[in-house]
């Protein structure tokens, strides 16, 4: 299997029941050779705790742009420049809509708007939400902007319905990421990559690191809150 040796991966976790799969995804990315940092939306913390993902990744988990006033206001830019790829898994319908329309109203969406790295989304939502014309329009718009979409898959959903909307399994996501044709690091106008048969653009830019904001792990210490099963942000 090809590897991600030397790659720096930013894993974005949004608020859907499939968020529990992000723990396995961290391990798989690390085993492939990547260094992983995690950014969570507020709703994601209802499904899996920052403490869990911090322990697995070995880095603080970043949640809030303004939690610490002692950090520079541009720490979202530091994260955007640090990473070779932004992988959002799961990507809810709400988050897809916000990114497709250029919203930058939390840390993760702001990073998506300010990074020059590849952005890959693994959608996860109810089958009707996936087939909704608005969602399909948003996904089509992201594809046109050279975002990469992995999945979703067909199967039984948390709500009990069966259809397309399940997040692609972490092993399959990794397989597509480490494909020789898939990922070279950053977007370059002279390079093409392919995920699920779609032409994409890659580039290379300088990276830099800096002190970054992270969310507290003193709250919400239960690993998964199963009282909610629908995606939300």
């Amino acid at each position: 299997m090809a590897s991600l040796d030397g790659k720096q991966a930013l894993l974005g976790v949004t608020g859907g029941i499939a968020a529990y799969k992000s723990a396995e995804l961290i391990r798989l990315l690390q085993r492939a050779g990547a260094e992983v940092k995690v950014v969570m939306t507020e709703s994601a913390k209802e499904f899996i705790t920052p403490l869990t993902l911090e322990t697995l990744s070995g880095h603080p988990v970043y949640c809030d742009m303004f939690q610490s006033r002692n950090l520079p206001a541009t720490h979202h830019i530091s994260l955007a420049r640090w990473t070779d790829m932004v992988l959002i898994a799961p990507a809810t319908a709400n988050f897809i809509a916000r990114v497709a329309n250029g919203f930058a109203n939390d840390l993760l969406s702001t990073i998506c708007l300010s990074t020059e790295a590849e952005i890959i989304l693994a959608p996860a939502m109810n089958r009707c939400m996936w087939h909704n014309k608005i969602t399909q329009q948003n996904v089509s718009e992201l594809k046109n902007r050279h975002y990469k979409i992995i999945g979703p898959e067909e199967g039984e959903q948390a709500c009990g319905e069966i259809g397309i909307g399940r997040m692609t399994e972490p092993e399959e996501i990794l397989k597509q990421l480490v494909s020789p044709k898939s990922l070279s690091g950053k977007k370059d106008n002279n390079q093409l990559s392919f995920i699920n048969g779609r032409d994409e653009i890659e580039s290379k830019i300088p990276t830099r690191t800096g002190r970054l904001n992270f969310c507290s792990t003193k709250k919400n210490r239960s690993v998964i809150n199963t009282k909610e099963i629908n995606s939300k942000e």
Side-chain angles (χ1 to χ4, degrees), residues 173-197:
I173 292 175
L174 181 67
K175 185 185 299 183
Q176 296 199 37
L177 292 179
V178 301
S179 167
K181 294 182 179 180
S182 69
L183 184 69
S184 67
K186 311 255 183 186
K187 302 176 207 161
D188 186 289
N189 290 333
N190 297 319
Q191 285 186 305
L192 291 177
S193 67
F194 305 87
I195 283 188
N196 286 348

Side-chain angles (χ1 to χ4, degrees), residues 64-108:
D64 188 350
M65 289 186 65
F66 306 109
Q67 182 170 336
S68 175
R69 296 294 180 179
N70 296 323
L71 297 178
T74 57
H75 65 278
H76 60 287
I77 301 298
S78 297
L79 274 171
R81 298 294 177 266
W82 172 84
T83 189
D84 294 308
M85 65 173 176
V86 178
L87 171 61
I88 302 168
T92 62
N94 179 280
F95 189 81
I96 289 171
R98 289 196 283 125
V99 173
N101 288 279
F103 281 66
N105 56 352
D106 64 5
L107 181 57
L108 184 56

Side-chain angles (χ1 to χ4, degrees), residues 17-18 20-21 90 122-127 130 150-158 161-169:
I17 189 63
Y20 77 91
K21 296 182 180 181
M125 64 197 72
N126 173 267
R127 63 180 182 85
W130 173 251
I150 300 178
E153 310 300 329
E154 184 173 6
E156 185 175 359
Q157 302 183 326
E161 297 182 349
I162 297 176
I164 298 175
R166 288 176 57 90
M167 188 180 101
T168 300
E169 291 301 318

